[in-house]
Amino acid sequence: MELLQNGPIDGPVYIFAHGAGADMQSEFMTQVAERLADKGIRVIRFNFPYMIKCKEDGKRRPPDRAPKLLAAYEAVIRYLACPVIIGGK
């Protein structure tokens, strides 16, 4: 699992998920993460499984169904093992 982090190591943690058309490294995602980090919020970004596949083979795909998206969120939450706030684009 690849995670991107902005902001302090401690403090509030916001898990920030991408939308259907762009990945965790998009300009929008990066700008929002940097602005939140400037406010002292630790921002964690990740790619959903369908976006990982898009990056691997270059083919656009629709988002996975909700159970698979929720499982990806849950994996990140378990990995961080701390209280978090989740959200996305």
Side-chain angles (χ1 to χ4, degrees), residues 11-81:
V13 179
Y14 176 58
I15 300 175
F16 187 30
H18 62 81
D23 72 355
M24 69 178 169
Q25 295 180 352
S26 72
E27 183 178 345
F28 173 82
M29 295 287 291
T30 300
Q31 287 179 0
V32 171
E34 288 172 352
R35 289 183 179 145
L36 289 171
D38 289 344
K39 302 289 184 189
I41 298 169
R42 180 177 167 202
V43 180
I44 304 294
R45 292 177 279 158
F46 69 99
N47 280 329
F48 287 113
Y50 77 92
M51 189 60 71
I52 294 168
K53 289 179 185 174
C54 289
K55 292 291 181 187
E56 291 172 354
D57 63 18
K59 296 178 183 176
R60 289 186 58 91
R61 302 182 154 68
D64 295 314
R65 295 191 177 269
K68 197 166 188 177
L69 298 176
L70 292 172
Y73 254 125
E74 290 170 357
V76 174
I77 293 167
R78 278 193 306 275
Y79 177 79
L80 294 173

